[in-house]
Amino acid sequence: MAKIVVIGGTGLIGTKVVAKLTEHGHEAIAASPNTGVNSLTGEGLAEVLAGADTVVDVSNSPSFAPADVLDFFTTSTRNLLEAEAAAGVTHHVALTIVGINRPQNIPYFAAKTAQEKMIRESAIDFSLVHATQFFEFVGSIADISTAGDVVTLPGALIQPIAAEDVATAVARTAAGDPVGDIEIAGPETFGMDEFARRALAFRGDPRTVVRDDTAPYYGARIEERTLIPVEGAQIFPTTLEEWLPLNPPRG
Ligand SMILES: NC(=O)c1ccc[n+]([C@@H]2O[C@H](COP(=O)([O-])OP(=O)(O)OC[C@H]3O[C@@H](n4cnc5c(N)ncnc54)[C@H](OP(=O)(O)O)[C@@H]3O)[C@@H](O)[C@H]2O)c1
């Protein structure tokens, strides 16, 4: 039984990772500001990491303002890696995003790229799980692209995945030996506009979704294949049609 500390263990993915690791007999500890552990300030880190074998980082920045998100992922990752080295942790697992190394101009992706670089350059063996967009994200994607009753999104391809499947991949990775980089994705590829259109239609949302390939995604123009995995990604089974009935809009 390994001791596995899950930074961000109270979040969407983290809660599920802790549950899955616990079900499989590991000592999984949810660590976040709500449990007295703050990776940004370092508070509680040394204490929670004492005796830990593995750290899983599925935390997220409370603010997505470009400077805040860059500060969150770099400061937090630096604090974690230092505390892990001091505690003798042998495996650092982080959840990151497919395609952020490709040309685009999204500040959140730049912050995650900086996080990845620090992890690769550290002396601790690592696994970086690169996931595509979560199904759970569909409401936010539509909302930030809405003007009046119209949602305008590019037809750039995505291959979204259920949070439950992401958590399965992260938990399996955390329970195993370090693997370096892996990509995970859902079973279907469609345009970002189609993703939103299907979800809004299912939910009876009156907004119309319009495709405009010049429309921004998180403030930036993305190319058709920026966000989909390269060959060799692990494909998880849950489809959007299976997921939608079980997941009403998040309030
Ligand atoms: N959204 C996507 O489509 C997508 C795709 C691929 C990868 N990802 C990545 O997935 C990861 C997890 O996302 P999520 O949606 O599960 O996040 P989330 O639900 O927003 O949860 C964020 C977690 O981070 C914790 N946290 C915030 N500030 C912290 C701090 N200073 N120290 C320690 N923990 C802190 C929160 O703790 P409290 O509850 O105590 O506030 C919470 O547990 C992110 O790194 C994201 O980049 C997302």
Side-chain angles (χ1 to χ4, degrees), residues 113-134:
T113 303
Q115 177 190 26
E116 287 185 10
K117 184 167 183 284
M118 294 171 82
I119 293 167
R120 288 181 214 288
E121 289 174 356
S122 97
I124 299 170
D125 289 337
F126 68 89
S127 301
L128 279 167
V129 179
H130 302 250
T132 52
Q133 285 61 48
F134 310 158

Side-chain angles (χ1 to χ4, degrees), residues 34-57:
N34 272 321
T35 72
V37 180
N38 190 324
S39 53
L40 199 52
T41 62
E43 181 197 348
L45 271 187
E47 293 80 358
V48 78
L49 293 188
D53 304 286
T54 296
V55 168
V56 175
D57 184 5

Side-chain angles (χ1 to χ4, degrees), residues 7-14 31-34 37-40 58-60 62 72-73 95-97 108 112 131-134 137:
I7 306 294
T10 55
L12 171 67
I13 301 297
S32 79
N34 272 321
V37 180
N38 190 324
S39 53
L40 199 52
V58 284
S59 64
N60 208 356
F72 180 87
F73 281 115
L95 180 58
T96 185
I97 306 173
Y108 186 87
K112 294 292 287 184
T132 52
Q133 285 61 48
F134 310 158
F137 212 37

